[in-house]
Short mmCIF file of all heavy atoms in Angstrom, two decimals:
data_model
loop_
_atom_site.label_atom_id
_atom_site.label_comp_id
_atom_site.label_asym_id
_atom_site.label_seq_id
_atom_site.Cartn_x
_atom_site.Cartn_y
_atom_site.Cartn_z
N ALA A 223 6.11 -15.07 -43.58
CA ALA A 223 6.29 -16.42 -44.03
C ALA A 223 5.75 -17.44 -42.92
O ALA A 223 5.06 -18.36 -43.19
CB ALA A 223 7.66 -16.77 -44.35
N LEU A 224 5.98 -17.06 -41.70
CA LEU A 224 5.53 -17.85 -40.55
C LEU A 224 4.06 -17.77 -40.47
O LEU A 224 3.37 -18.75 -40.16
CB LEU A 224 6.21 -17.31 -39.23
CG LEU A 224 6.29 -18.25 -37.98
CD1 LEU A 224 6.97 -19.56 -38.31
CD2 LEU A 224 6.99 -17.51 -36.91
N ALA A 225 3.51 -16.55 -40.67
CA ALA A 225 2.08 -16.27 -40.54
C ALA A 225 1.19 -16.94 -41.62
O ALA A 225 0.06 -17.20 -41.39
CB ALA A 225 1.83 -14.82 -40.45
N CYS A 226 1.75 -17.15 -42.76
CA CYS A 226 1.00 -17.66 -43.86
C CYS A 226 1.35 -19.08 -44.25
O CYS A 226 0.82 -19.74 -45.15
CB CYS A 226 1.04 -16.79 -45.09
SG CYS A 226 2.62 -16.74 -45.89
N GLY A 227 2.43 -19.58 -43.58
CA GLY A 227 2.90 -20.98 -43.89
C GLY A 227 3.52 -21.02 -45.27
O GLY A 227 3.30 -22.04 -45.99
N ASN A 372 13.63 -15.94 -32.12
CA ASN A 372 12.53 -16.76 -31.78
C ASN A 372 11.71 -17.12 -33.09
O ASN A 372 11.29 -18.30 -33.24
CB ASN A 372 11.63 -16.12 -30.77
CG ASN A 372 12.25 -16.08 -29.41
OD1 ASN A 372 13.18 -16.79 -29.15
ND2 ASN A 372 11.68 -15.25 -28.53
N ASN A 373 11.50 -16.08 -33.93
CA ASN A 373 10.74 -16.32 -35.14
C ASN A 373 11.50 -17.23 -36.06
O ASN A 373 11.01 -18.17 -36.75
CB ASN A 373 10.45 -15.06 -35.80
CG ASN A 373 9.35 -14.25 -35.16
OD1 ASN A 373 8.23 -14.77 -35.02
ND2 ASN A 373 9.69 -13.08 -34.66
N ASN A 375 13.89 -19.51 -35.39
CA ASN A 375 13.98 -20.85 -34.89
C ASN A 375 12.66 -21.55 -35.13
O ASN A 375 12.64 -22.80 -35.52
CB ASN A 375 14.34 -20.92 -33.35
CG ASN A 375 15.79 -20.54 -33.20
OD1 ASN A 375 16.64 -20.55 -34.14
ND2 ASN A 375 16.09 -20.11 -32.00
N THR A 376 11.53 -20.88 -34.90
CA THR A 376 10.21 -21.50 -35.11
C THR A 376 9.95 -21.80 -36.59
O THR A 376 9.45 -22.91 -36.98
CB THR A 376 9.07 -20.61 -34.65
OG1 THR A 376 9.36 -20.23 -33.25
CG2 THR A 376 7.76 -21.27 -34.69
N TYR A 377 10.35 -20.94 -37.47
CA TYR A 377 10.23 -21.16 -38.92
C TYR A 377 11.01 -22.40 -39.33
O TYR A 377 10.52 -23.23 -40.11
CB TYR A 377 10.65 -19.95 -39.75
CG TYR A 377 10.42 -20.19 -41.17
CD1 TYR A 377 9.09 -20.01 -41.77
CD2 TYR A 377 11.45 -20.60 -42.03
CE1 TYR A 377 8.93 -20.20 -43.06
CE2 TYR A 377 11.17 -20.79 -43.43
CZ TYR A 377 9.93 -20.68 -43.89
OH TYR A 377 9.67 -20.91 -45.21
N LYS A 378 12.23 -22.49 -38.75
CA LYS A 378 13.07 -23.76 -39.13
C LYS A 378 12.32 -24.98 -38.66
O LYS A 378 12.39 -26.01 -39.43
CB LYS A 378 14.41 -23.60 -38.45
CG LYS A 378 15.31 -22.57 -39.14
CD LYS A 378 16.69 -22.57 -38.38
CE LYS A 378 17.62 -21.56 -39.02
NZ LYS A 378 18.96 -21.49 -38.31
N LEU A 379 11.72 -25.01 -37.58
CA LEU A 379 11.00 -26.18 -37.04
C LEU A 379 9.93 -26.57 -37.99
O LEU A 379 9.64 -27.78 -38.19
CB LEU A 379 10.42 -25.85 -35.68
CG LEU A 379 11.32 -26.05 -34.45
CD1 LEU A 379 10.62 -25.64 -33.17
CD2 LEU A 379 11.72 -27.56 -34.31
N LEU A 380 9.21 -25.62 -38.53
CA LEU A 380 7.94 -25.92 -39.30
C LEU A 380 8.18 -25.93 -40.82
O LEU A 380 7.24 -26.34 -41.52
CB LEU A 380 6.94 -24.79 -38.99
CG LEU A 380 6.48 -24.72 -37.54
CD1 LEU A 380 5.64 -23.45 -37.32
CD2 LEU A 380 5.66 -25.95 -37.14
N SER A 381 9.37 -25.57 -41.33
CA SER A 381 9.45 -25.25 -42.69
C SER A 381 9.71 -26.46 -43.57
O SER A 381 9.29 -26.49 -44.76
CB SER A 381 10.60 -24.25 -42.94
OG SER A 381 11.84 -24.87 -42.54
N TYR A 382 10.24 -27.51 -43.06
CA TYR A 382 10.66 -28.63 -43.94
C TYR A 382 10.31 -29.94 -43.28
O TYR A 382 10.67 -30.26 -42.18
CB TYR A 382 12.12 -28.54 -44.21
CG TYR A 382 12.58 -29.59 -45.30
CD1 TYR A 382 12.11 -29.50 -46.57
CD2 TYR A 382 13.52 -30.66 -44.99
CE1 TYR A 382 12.49 -30.42 -47.56
CE2 TYR A 382 13.83 -31.52 -45.95
CZ TYR A 382 13.37 -31.43 -47.20
OH TYR A 382 13.78 -32.32 -48.29
N HIS A 383 9.55 -30.76 -44.05
CA HIS A 383 9.02 -32.01 -43.57
C HIS A 383 9.99 -33.13 -44.12
O HIS A 383 10.01 -33.41 -45.30
CB HIS A 383 7.63 -32.27 -44.06
CG HIS A 383 7.11 -33.66 -43.65
ND1 HIS A 383 7.45 -34.17 -42.43
CD2 HIS A 383 6.31 -34.53 -44.32
CE1 HIS A 383 6.76 -35.41 -42.42
NE2 HIS A 383 6.18 -35.57 -43.51
N VAL A 396 0.64 -38.15 -28.71
CA VAL A 396 0.28 -36.84 -28.14
C VAL A 396 -1.06 -36.39 -28.76
O VAL A 396 -1.21 -36.35 -30.02
CB VAL A 396 1.40 -35.71 -28.38
CG1 VAL A 396 0.86 -34.38 -27.69
CG2 VAL A 396 2.69 -36.10 -27.86
N VAL A 398 -4.13 -33.50 -29.22
CA VAL A 398 -4.34 -32.08 -29.19
C VAL A 398 -5.89 -31.81 -29.29
O VAL A 398 -6.56 -32.51 -30.08
CB VAL A 398 -3.69 -31.40 -30.40
CG1 VAL A 398 -3.87 -29.84 -30.30
CG2 VAL A 398 -2.19 -31.74 -30.48
N ASN A 400 -9.16 -28.63 -28.66
CA ASN A 400 -9.59 -27.24 -28.27
C ASN A 400 -10.73 -27.29 -27.29
O ASN A 400 -11.62 -28.17 -27.44
CB ASN A 400 -10.07 -26.50 -29.52
CG ASN A 400 -8.96 -26.29 -30.53
OD1 ASN A 400 -7.79 -26.29 -30.09
ND2 ASN A 400 -9.25 -26.12 -31.75
N GLY A 407 -6.69 -17.94 -34.31
CA GLY A 407 -5.32 -18.29 -34.04
C GLY A 407 -5.24 -19.75 -33.43
O GLY A 407 -4.11 -20.30 -33.34
N MET A 408 -6.33 -20.29 -32.99
CA MET A 408 -6.40 -21.68 -32.54
C MET A 408 -5.81 -22.66 -33.52
O MET A 408 -5.05 -23.56 -33.19
CB MET A 408 -7.80 -22.11 -32.20
CG MET A 408 -8.26 -21.70 -30.82
SD MET A 408 -9.95 -22.40 -30.47
CE MET A 408 -10.02 -22.19 -28.71
N ASN A 409 -6.24 -22.48 -34.83
CA ASN A 409 -5.83 -23.39 -35.89
C ASN A 409 -4.33 -23.25 -36.11
O ASN A 409 -3.71 -24.28 -36.36
CB ASN A 409 -6.62 -23.17 -37.12
CG ASN A 409 -8.12 -23.39 -36.91
OD1 ASN A 409 -8.48 -24.39 -36.28
ND2 ASN A 409 -8.93 -22.50 -37.49
N ALA A 410 -3.76 -22.09 -36.00
CA ALA A 410 -2.33 -21.93 -36.22
C ALA A 410 -1.60 -22.65 -35.15
O ALA A 410 -0.58 -23.33 -35.42
CB ALA A 410 -2.02 -20.42 -36.18
N ALA A 411 -2.09 -22.63 -33.87
CA ALA A 411 -1.47 -23.34 -32.80
C ALA A 411 -1.58 -24.85 -33.03
O ALA A 411 -0.55 -25.56 -32.73
CB ALA A 411 -2.18 -22.91 -31.50
N VAL A 412 -2.73 -25.35 -33.48
CA VAL A 412 -2.83 -26.75 -33.69
C VAL A 412 -1.89 -27.24 -34.82
O VAL A 412 -1.15 -28.24 -34.65
CB VAL A 412 -4.27 -27.08 -34.13
CG1 VAL A 412 -4.34 -28.59 -34.55
CG2 VAL A 412 -5.29 -26.86 -32.98
N ARG A 413 -1.79 -26.49 -35.89
CA ARG A 413 -0.93 -26.79 -36.97
C ARG A 413 0.57 -26.87 -36.48
O ARG A 413 1.31 -27.86 -36.86
CB ARG A 413 -0.95 -25.72 -38.11
CG ARG A 413 0.11 -25.84 -39.18
CD ARG A 413 0.02 -24.71 -40.14
NE ARG A 413 1.11 -24.66 -41.11
CZ ARG A 413 2.24 -24.03 -40.92
NH1 ARG A 413 2.46 -23.44 -39.75
NH2 ARG A 413 3.19 -24.03 -41.86
N SER A 414 0.94 -25.88 -35.71
CA SER A 414 2.34 -25.88 -35.23
C SER A 414 2.58 -27.01 -34.30
O SER A 414 3.60 -27.70 -34.41
CB SER A 414 2.56 -24.53 -34.43
OG SER A 414 3.76 -24.48 -33.84
N ALA A 415 1.62 -27.32 -33.40
CA ALA A 415 1.79 -28.41 -32.47
C ALA A 415 1.94 -29.74 -33.18
O ALA A 415 2.81 -30.59 -32.85
CB ALA A 415 0.58 -28.46 -31.50
N VAL A 416 1.04 -30.00 -34.25
CA VAL A 416 1.08 -31.20 -34.94
C VAL A 416 2.46 -31.38 -35.72
O VAL A 416 3.08 -32.46 -35.60
CB VAL A 416 -0.07 -31.21 -36.02
CG1 VAL A 416 0.11 -32.41 -36.96
CG2 VAL A 416 -1.40 -31.42 -35.27
N ARG A 417 2.93 -30.30 -36.33
CA ARG A 417 4.07 -30.44 -37.17
C ARG A 417 5.39 -30.58 -36.26
O ARG A 417 6.26 -31.38 -36.69
CB ARG A 417 4.21 -29.35 -38.18
CG ARG A 417 3.12 -29.43 -39.23
CD ARG A 417 3.37 -28.47 -40.44
NE ARG A 417 2.45 -28.85 -41.49
CZ ARG A 417 2.42 -28.29 -42.72
NH1 ARG A 417 3.29 -27.23 -42.92
NH2 ARG A 417 1.59 -28.61 -43.64
N VAL A 418 5.43 -29.82 -35.24
CA VAL A 418 6.59 -29.92 -34.34
C VAL A 418 6.60 -31.30 -33.66
O VAL A 418 7.59 -31.91 -33.51
CB VAL A 418 6.56 -28.80 -33.30
CG1 VAL A 418 7.73 -29.01 -32.31
CG2 VAL A 418 6.76 -27.43 -34.00
N GLY A 419 5.40 -31.76 -33.33
CA GLY A 419 5.33 -33.08 -32.61
C GLY A 419 5.77 -34.15 -33.60
O GLY A 419 6.47 -35.15 -33.20
N ILE A 420 5.43 -34.11 -34.91
CA ILE A 420 5.85 -35.08 -35.94
C ILE A 420 7.36 -35.01 -36.07
O ILE A 420 8.03 -36.00 -36.15
CB ILE A 420 5.13 -34.88 -37.20
CG1 ILE A 420 3.60 -35.28 -37.13
CG2 ILE A 420 5.78 -35.61 -38.36
CD1 ILE A 420 2.77 -34.88 -38.25
N LYS A 421 7.91 -33.81 -36.06
CA LYS A 421 9.37 -33.70 -36.19
C LYS A 421 10.12 -34.21 -34.94
O LYS A 421 11.24 -34.66 -35.08
CB LYS A 421 9.73 -32.10 -36.35
CG LYS A 421 9.76 -31.75 -37.77
CD LYS A 421 10.64 -30.55 -38.00
CE LYS A 421 10.95 -30.31 -39.40
NZ LYS A 421 11.90 -29.20 -39.76
N GLU A 422 9.41 -34.14 -33.87
CA GLU A 422 10.03 -34.76 -32.58
C GLU A 422 9.89 -36.23 -32.58
O GLU A 422 10.46 -36.83 -31.64
CB GLU A 422 9.30 -34.18 -31.38
CG GLU A 422 9.43 -32.68 -31.12
CD GLU A 422 10.79 -32.36 -30.42
OE1 GLU A 422 11.03 -32.92 -29.37
OE2 GLU A 422 11.50 -31.51 -30.91
N GLY A 423 9.14 -36.83 -33.55
CA GLY A 423 9.06 -38.29 -33.64
C GLY A 423 7.73 -38.82 -33.04
O GLY A 423 7.61 -40.01 -33.05
N HIS A 424 6.91 -37.98 -32.58
CA HIS A 424 5.67 -38.43 -31.93
C HIS A 424 4.59 -38.77 -32.96
O HIS A 424 4.63 -38.17 -34.04
CB HIS A 424 5.12 -37.42 -30.91
CG HIS A 424 6.15 -36.89 -29.95
ND1 HIS A 424 7.06 -37.78 -29.37
CD2 HIS A 424 6.41 -35.61 -29.55
CE1 HIS A 424 7.79 -36.95 -28.56
NE2 HIS A 424 7.44 -35.73 -28.66
N MET A 426 0.85 -37.89 -33.59
CA MET A 426 -0.12 -36.80 -33.16
C MET A 426 -1.52 -37.26 -33.39
O MET A 426 -1.93 -37.71 -34.47
CB MET A 426 0.23 -35.53 -33.90
CG MET A 426 1.69 -34.99 -33.68
SD MET A 426 2.07 -34.74 -31.91
CE MET A 426 0.97 -33.38 -31.52
N ILE A 444 -3.44 -37.48 -36.87
CA ILE A 444 -3.39 -36.29 -37.81
C ILE A 444 -1.93 -36.24 -38.32
O ILE A 444 -1.01 -36.24 -37.53
CB ILE A 444 -3.84 -35.07 -37.05
CG1 ILE A 444 -4.00 -33.94 -38.04
CG2 ILE A 444 -2.97 -34.71 -35.85
CD1 ILE A 444 -4.80 -32.69 -37.55
N LYS A 445 -1.84 -36.07 -39.63
CA LYS A 445 -0.54 -36.07 -40.29
C LYS A 445 -0.12 -34.70 -40.69
O LYS A 445 -0.89 -33.73 -40.56
CB LYS A 445 -0.65 -36.94 -41.59
CG LYS A 445 -1.03 -38.42 -41.34
CD LYS A 445 0.17 -39.20 -40.84
CE LYS A 445 -0.21 -40.72 -40.79
NZ LYS A 445 0.96 -41.50 -40.38
N TRP A 446 1.10 -34.61 -41.12
CA TRP A 446 1.77 -33.34 -41.55
C TRP A 446 0.83 -32.59 -42.58
O TRP A 446 0.52 -31.38 -42.38
CB TRP A 446 3.08 -33.57 -42.11
CG TRP A 446 3.89 -32.34 -42.51
CD1 TRP A 446 3.77 -31.58 -43.70
CD2 TRP A 446 4.86 -31.73 -41.74
NE1 TRP A 446 4.66 -30.57 -43.68
CE2 TRP A 446 5.35 -30.66 -42.45
CE3 TRP A 446 5.54 -32.07 -40.59
CZ2 TRP A 446 6.39 -29.83 -42.07
CZ3 TRP A 446 6.55 -31.22 -40.08
CH2 TRP A 446 6.99 -30.15 -40.86
N GLY A 447 0.45 -33.22 -43.60
CA GLY A 447 -0.30 -32.57 -44.63
C GLY A 447 -1.71 -32.23 -44.29
O GLY A 447 -2.36 -31.43 -44.90
N ASP A 448 -2.22 -32.85 -43.24
CA ASP A 448 -3.63 -32.67 -42.80
C ASP A 448 -3.88 -31.26 -42.32
O ASP A 448 -4.94 -30.75 -42.25
CB ASP A 448 -4.05 -33.61 -41.71
CG ASP A 448 -4.11 -35.07 -42.22
OD1 ASP A 448 -4.24 -35.29 -43.39
OD2 ASP A 448 -3.92 -35.95 -41.38
N VAL A 449 -2.79 -30.58 -41.82
CA VAL A 449 -2.92 -29.21 -41.25
C VAL A 449 -2.46 -28.14 -42.21
O VAL A 449 -2.30 -26.95 -41.83
CB VAL A 449 -2.18 -29.11 -39.91
CG1 VAL A 449 -2.87 -29.98 -38.92
CG2 VAL A 449 -0.71 -29.49 -40.03
N ALA A 450 -2.15 -28.52 -43.45
CA ALA A 450 -1.75 -27.55 -44.46
C ALA A 450 -2.82 -26.48 -44.62
O ALA A 450 -4.03 -26.77 -44.77
CB ALA A 450 -1.46 -28.17 -45.82
N GLY A 451 -2.50 -25.20 -44.63
CA GLY A 451 -3.43 -24.12 -44.87
C GLY A 451 -4.19 -23.71 -43.58
O GLY A 451 -5.09 -22.87 -43.77
N TRP A 452 -3.90 -24.29 -42.47
CA TRP A 452 -4.67 -23.99 -41.27
C TRP A 452 -4.33 -22.66 -40.65
O TRP A 452 -5.10 -22.08 -39.89
CB TRP A 452 -4.53 -25.04 -40.20
CG TRP A 452 -5.27 -26.30 -40.51
CD1 TRP A 452 -5.61 -26.89 -41.68
CD2 TRP A 452 -5.77 -27.24 -39.53
NE1 TRP A 452 -6.31 -27.96 -41.58
CE2 TRP A 452 -6.43 -28.26 -40.18
CE3 TRP A 452 -5.75 -27.32 -38.16
CZ2 TRP A 452 -7.08 -29.36 -39.64
CZ3 TRP A 452 -6.32 -28.35 -37.45
CH2 TRP A 452 -6.99 -29.41 -38.24
N THR A 453 -3.11 -22.15 -40.95
CA THR A 453 -2.67 -20.96 -40.27
C THR A 453 -3.54 -19.73 -40.30
O THR A 453 -3.81 -19.06 -39.34
CB THR A 453 -1.19 -20.51 -40.73
OG1 THR A 453 -0.42 -21.70 -40.74
CG2 THR A 453 -0.62 -19.36 -39.92
N GLY A 454 -4.06 -19.56 -41.52
CA GLY A 454 -4.92 -18.40 -41.78
C GLY A 454 -6.43 -18.54 -41.51
O GLY A 454 -7.23 -17.66 -41.83
N ILE A 459 -11.03 -25.56 -36.39
CA ILE A 459 -11.36 -26.60 -37.42
C ILE A 459 -11.61 -27.91 -36.66
O ILE A 459 -12.41 -28.69 -37.11
CB ILE A 459 -10.18 -26.71 -38.42
CG1 ILE A 459 -10.05 -25.43 -39.28
CG2 ILE A 459 -10.38 -27.92 -39.29
CD1 ILE A 459 -8.81 -25.33 -40.16
N LEU A 460 -10.87 -28.12 -35.56
CA LEU A 460 -11.12 -29.35 -34.74
C LEU A 460 -12.47 -29.39 -34.13
O LEU A 460 -13.02 -30.45 -33.79
CB LEU A 460 -10.04 -29.49 -33.71
CG LEU A 460 -8.57 -29.83 -34.09
CD1 LEU A 460 -7.77 -29.94 -32.83
CD2 LEU A 460 -8.56 -30.98 -34.96
N LEU A 487 -2.28 -31.77 -25.11
CA LEU A 487 -2.15 -30.33 -25.27
C LEU A 487 -3.53 -29.82 -25.46
O LEU A 487 -4.21 -30.15 -26.41
CB LEU A 487 -1.31 -30.05 -26.53
CG LEU A 487 -1.08 -28.59 -26.81
CD1 LEU A 487 -0.33 -27.86 -25.68
CD2 LEU A 487 -0.34 -28.35 -28.17
N ILE A 489 -5.85 -26.45 -25.97
CA ILE A 489 -5.80 -25.08 -26.42
C ILE A 489 -7.17 -24.39 -26.24
O ILE A 489 -8.18 -24.87 -26.83
CB ILE A 489 -5.34 -25.07 -27.94
CG1 ILE A 489 -4.07 -25.69 -28.18
CG2 ILE A 489 -5.30 -23.57 -28.44
CD1 ILE A 489 -3.72 -25.97 -29.55
N LEU A 518 -2.61 -24.06 -23.53
CA LEU A 518 -2.26 -22.87 -24.15
C LEU A 518 -3.43 -21.83 -24.09
O LEU A 518 -4.53 -22.26 -24.54
CB LEU A 518 -1.86 -23.08 -25.67
CG LEU A 518 -0.72 -24.04 -25.94
CD1 LEU A 518 -0.43 -24.09 -27.40
CD2 LEU A 518 0.56 -23.57 -25.14
N ILE A 533 -4.13 -16.12 -27.19
CA ILE A 533 -4.34 -16.23 -28.63
C ILE A 533 -5.78 -15.79 -28.92
O ILE A 533 -6.74 -16.22 -28.24
CB ILE A 533 -4.15 -17.64 -29.10
CG1 ILE A 533 -2.78 -18.21 -28.79
CG2 ILE A 533 -4.49 -17.80 -30.52
CD1 ILE A 533 -2.59 -19.70 -28.86
N ASP A 676 -1.67 -12.93 -33.84
CA ASP A 676 -2.23 -14.17 -33.23
C ASP A 676 -1.78 -15.44 -34.00
O ASP A 676 -1.54 -16.50 -33.37
CB ASP A 676 -3.78 -14.10 -33.34
CG ASP A 676 -4.34 -13.29 -32.16
OD1 ASP A 676 -3.81 -13.35 -31.07
OD2 ASP A 676 -5.48 -12.71 -32.29
N ARG A 677 -1.53 -15.32 -35.26
CA ARG A 677 -0.98 -16.47 -36.11
C ARG A 677 0.42 -16.82 -35.53
O ARG A 677 0.73 -17.92 -35.28
CB ARG A 677 -0.91 -16.11 -37.55
CG ARG A 677 -2.16 -15.83 -38.19
CD ARG A 677 -2.05 -15.62 -39.72
NE ARG A 677 -3.22 -15.05 -40.26
CZ ARG A 677 -3.52 -15.06 -41.61
NH1 ARG A 677 -2.66 -15.59 -42.44
NH2 ARG A 677 -4.59 -14.48 -42.06
N ASN A 678 1.20 -15.77 -35.38
CA ASN A 678 2.66 -16.03 -34.88
C ASN A 678 2.69 -16.37 -33.40
O ASN A 678 3.43 -17.26 -32.98
CB ASN A 678 3.43 -14.81 -35.16
CG ASN A 678 3.73 -14.61 -36.67
OD1 ASN A 678 4.02 -15.52 -37.38
ND2 ASN A 678 3.61 -13.39 -37.12
N PHE A 679 1.82 -15.73 -32.59
CA PHE A 679 1.84 -16.09 -31.17
C PHE A 679 1.38 -17.51 -31.01
O PHE A 679 2.05 -18.29 -30.24
CB PHE A 679 0.91 -15.07 -30.44
CG PHE A 679 0.94 -15.25 -28.92
CD1 PHE A 679 2.13 -15.16 -28.26
CD2 PHE A 679 -0.25 -15.38 -28.19
CE1 PHE A 679 2.14 -15.36 -26.83
CE2 PHE A 679 -0.27 -15.46 -26.83
CZ PHE A 679 0.96 -15.50 -26.18
N GLY A 680 0.38 -17.87 -31.64
CA GLY A 680 -0.19 -19.36 -31.56
C GLY A 680 0.84 -20.29 -32.06
O GLY A 680 1.11 -21.37 -31.47
N THR A 681 1.50 -19.93 -33.18
CA THR A 681 2.50 -20.88 -33.76
C THR A 681 3.72 -21.06 -32.84
O THR A 681 4.15 -22.11 -32.57
CB THR A 681 2.97 -20.31 -35.10
OG1 THR A 681 1.90 -20.22 -36.02
CG2 THR A 681 4.11 -21.09 -35.73
N LYS A 682 4.13 -19.92 -32.33
CA LYS A 682 5.40 -20.03 -31.41
C LYS A 682 5.15 -20.73 -30.07
O LYS A 682 5.98 -21.55 -29.65
CB LYS A 682 5.99 -18.62 -31.24
CG LYS A 682 6.66 -18.06 -32.46
CD LYS A 682 7.40 -16.80 -32.26
CE LYS A 682 6.45 -15.62 -32.16
NZ LYS A 682 7.22 -14.31 -32.14
N ILE A 683 4.07 -20.36 -29.46
CA ILE A 683 3.84 -20.99 -28.07
C ILE A 683 3.43 -22.42 -28.22
O ILE A 683 3.79 -23.25 -27.35
CB ILE A 683 2.86 -20.19 -27.24
CG1 ILE A 683 1.39 -20.27 -27.78
CG2 ILE A 683 3.27 -18.78 -27.04
CD1 ILE A 683 0.39 -19.65 -26.82
N ALA A 684 2.80 -22.82 -29.37
CA ALA A 684 2.50 -24.31 -29.56
C ALA A 684 3.76 -25.02 -29.80
O ALA A 684 3.93 -26.18 -29.22
CB ALA A 684 1.56 -24.40 -30.68
N ALA A 685 4.65 -24.47 -30.51
CA ALA A 685 5.99 -25.21 -30.76
C ALA A 685 6.72 -25.32 -29.48
O ALA A 685 7.31 -26.35 -29.17
CB ALA A 685 6.80 -24.34 -31.77
N LYS A 686 6.70 -24.32 -28.65
CA LYS A 686 7.40 -24.31 -27.38
C LYS A 686 6.74 -25.39 -26.42
O LYS A 686 7.39 -26.08 -25.72
CB LYS A 686 7.34 -22.98 -26.72
CG LYS A 686 8.30 -22.74 -25.58
CD LYS A 686 8.28 -21.27 -25.14
CE LYS A 686 9.30 -21.05 -24.02
NZ LYS A 686 10.71 -20.96 -24.46
N ALA A 687 5.39 -25.47 -26.48
CA ALA A 687 4.69 -26.42 -25.65
C ALA A 687 5.02 -27.81 -26.04
O ALA A 687 5.25 -28.65 -25.12
CB ALA A 687 3.20 -26.14 -25.73
N ILE A 688 5.11 -28.07 -27.34
CA ILE A 688 5.45 -29.46 -27.73
C ILE A 688 6.83 -29.84 -27.31
O ILE A 688 7.05 -31.00 -26.87
CB ILE A 688 5.22 -29.64 -29.28
CG1 ILE A 688 3.74 -29.61 -29.59
CG2 ILE A 688 5.82 -30.92 -29.77
CD1 ILE A 688 2.89 -30.70 -29.05
N GLN A 689 7.78 -28.96 -27.41
CA GLN A 689 9.15 -29.20 -27.01
C GLN A 689 9.19 -29.44 -25.54
O GLN A 689 9.94 -30.37 -25.11
CB GLN A 689 10.03 -28.04 -27.40
CG GLN A 689 10.24 -27.91 -28.92
CD GLN A 689 11.06 -26.67 -29.27
OE1 GLN A 689 10.92 -25.62 -28.68
NE2 GLN A 689 11.89 -26.83 -30.25
N TRP A 690 8.37 -28.81 -24.78
CA TRP A 690 8.32 -28.97 -23.30
C TRP A 690 7.68 -30.42 -23.01
O TRP A 690 8.19 -31.18 -22.23
CB TRP A 690 7.38 -27.91 -22.70
CG TRP A 690 7.15 -28.06 -21.22
CD1 TRP A 690 7.95 -27.68 -20.11
CD2 TRP A 690 5.97 -28.74 -20.60
NE1 TRP A 690 7.34 -28.06 -18.94
CE2 TRP A 690 6.18 -28.69 -19.23
CE3 TRP A 690 4.89 -29.36 -21.15
CZ2 TRP A 690 5.18 -29.16 -18.35
CZ3 TRP A 690 3.87 -29.89 -20.27
CH2 TRP A 690 4.05 -29.83 -18.92
N ILE A 691 6.60 -30.77 -23.77
CA ILE A 691 6.07 -32.08 -23.68
C ILE A 691 6.99 -33.19 -23.92
O ILE A 691 7.08 -34.20 -23.22
CB ILE A 691 4.76 -32.18 -24.58
CG1 ILE A 691 3.59 -31.36 -23.89
CG2 ILE A 691 4.38 -33.66 -24.80
CD1 ILE A 691 2.34 -31.31 -24.77
N SER A 692 7.86 -32.95 -24.97
CA SER A 692 8.89 -34.00 -25.36
C SER A 692 9.82 -34.22 -24.14
O SER A 692 10.18 -35.33 -23.89
CB SER A 692 9.64 -33.52 -26.65
OG SER A 692 8.75 -33.49 -27.70
N LEU A 715 1.22 -22.54 -20.33
CA LEU A 715 2.31 -21.73 -20.90
C LEU A 715 1.75 -20.36 -21.24
O LEU A 715 0.83 -20.20 -21.94
CB LEU A 715 2.83 -22.44 -22.21
CG LEU A 715 3.78 -21.61 -23.00
CD1 LEU A 715 5.01 -21.23 -22.22
CD2 LEU A 715 4.24 -22.34 -24.27
#
Side-chain angles (χ1 to χ4, degrees):
L224 199 57
C226 71
N372 288 344
N373 285 299
N375 289 340
T376 306
Y377 183 79
K378 286 179 178 179
L379 273 175
L380 298 169
S381 63
Y382 188 63
H383 178 38
V396 181
V398 183
N400 295 335
M408 275 183 164
N409 297 321
V412 172
R413 170 186 174 271
S414 176
V416 168
R417 292 195 167 181
V418 174
I420 290 171
K421 272 206 163 182
E422 294 277 308
H424 310 318
M426 300 301 295
I444 188 166
K445 300 284 191 176
W446 184 278
D448 295 336
V449 292
W452 282 30
T453 308
I459 296 174
L460 290 183
L487 179 64
I489 303 168
L518 301 181
I533 300 167
D676 279 329
R677 299 184 194 199
N678 288 318
F679 187 51
T681 298
K682 286 188 284 190
I683 66 170
K686 195 175 184 71
I688 291 295
Q689 290 175 322
W690 176 86
I691 283 174
S692 296
L715 173 57

